[in-house]
Amino acid sequence: MTRTPLLALVLLAAPTATALHAQTPRAPACVAANDQVTRLRTGKDRQGRPNAVDVAGAVAAGDAALRNCRGDSTFLLAYALARIDLASDVKRTTPTARAAMFNNALADLETIKASVLAGRSDRYEIFNILALIYYNTGQFAKAIAVTDASAPVFVRMTPTSRQKTLVTRGLAQAQLGQPGAATTSLNLAARNGYAHTAELKRKMLITK
């Protein structure tokens, strides 16, 4: 069975329009820190203006703001993704440092997931992001478990997040030798607007 490349984790961390509960006002310093981390990580600002990608600079900006902004899930999400990106740079960090950076960032993403489920955050896309990361690292059962955990807030996700969550679930099920379950998940993704279900089924050797 072939491994399907993941969808790109390019995220401009901004408040989700589908939030159904009140959010604590964000500190201006944390909004600014989030913007800086995101701009340096993705190579563009909120207005789409390009700048040089500087993942190490994004992590450094996050390091500087973490003490005061750990409770800001939008900042924490951007900072965690920057660390995960930097952890893949084998030229800039040692294996031990990369593992620690990745694991700490993953722990922060799990914290955001818990906050969403507790009604303290509206970062509903955390489920498709975490599932993608677990899938990409070969942890297929964990990827499926994350998609299961999204059930209480699934309807609050954007259509794109719902599609990605279902697609990743289907791909993980296919990797675990569950073609029937994978078919169901990918068909649900199609019903939620995903346009490439048939192509994915061919790549994953799913014949239904």
Side-chain angles (χ1 to χ4, degrees):
M1 184 176 292
T2 58
R3 178 83 172 272
T4 301
L6 283 176
L7 301 171
L9 280 174
V10 177
L11 174 69
L12 282 175
T16 306
T18 54
L20 298 184
H21 51 66
Q23 296 296 305
T24 302
R26 299 178 65 204
C30 297
V31 173
N34 172 74
D35 288 349
Q36 184 179 13
V37 171
T38 300
R39 176 177 59 81
L40 292 172
R41 174 181 171 262
T42 64
K44 58 184 176 180
D45 63 15
R46 286 186 181 276
Q47 287 71 46
R49 294 173 299 209
N51 61 263
V53 173
D54 180 3
V55 179
V59 171
D63 290 343
L66 181 61
R67 180 176 179 180
N68 294 322
C69 299
R70 176 170 285 283
D72 185 311
S73 61
T74 300
F75 159 79
L76 193 61
L77 178 54
Y79 176 47
L81 292 177
R83 284 176 287 161
I84 286 174
D85 286 352
L86 188 59
S88 67
D89 188 344
V90 298
K91 295 181 179 180
R92 297 177 71 102
T93 54
T94 66
T96 300
R98 290 199 304 275
M101 189 180 303
F102 180 89
N103 290 333
N104 289 337
L106 194 61
D108 284 342
L109 294 176
E110 288 284 0
T111 296
I112 296 169
K113 184 187 78 173
S115 293
V116 170
L117 291 174
R120 297 192 299 270
S121 172
D122 65 352
R123 307 314 311 174
Y124 303 119
E125 72 272 35
I126 190 63
F127 297 96
N128 67 267
I129 289 170
L130 261 177
L132 284 167
I133 291 169
Y134 282 130
Y135 180 89
N136 197 36
T137 54
Q139 300 178 77
F140 306 123
K142 281 191 174 183
I144 294 170
V146 168
T147 67
D148 286 344
S150 73
V153 297
F154 191 76
V155 296
R156 301 185 186 183
M157 293 180 182
T158 64
T160 298
S161 286
R162 288 197 296 269
Q163 292 168 25
K164 288 183 178 180
T165 299
L166 290 166
V167 166
T168 305
R169 178 181 178 82
L171 296 181
Q173 289 166 329
Q175 293 285 2
L176 292 177
Q178 302 169 6
T183 297
T184 297
S185 295
L186 293 175
N187 288 343
L188 281 172
R191 287 200 286 273
N192 275 269
Y194 186 70
H196 306 292
T197 294
E199 179 184 351
L200 278 183
K201 285 182 178 180
R202 287 195 299 271
K203 289 182 177 180
M204 300 301 293
L205 304 182
I206 298 172
T207 56
K208 293 183 181 180

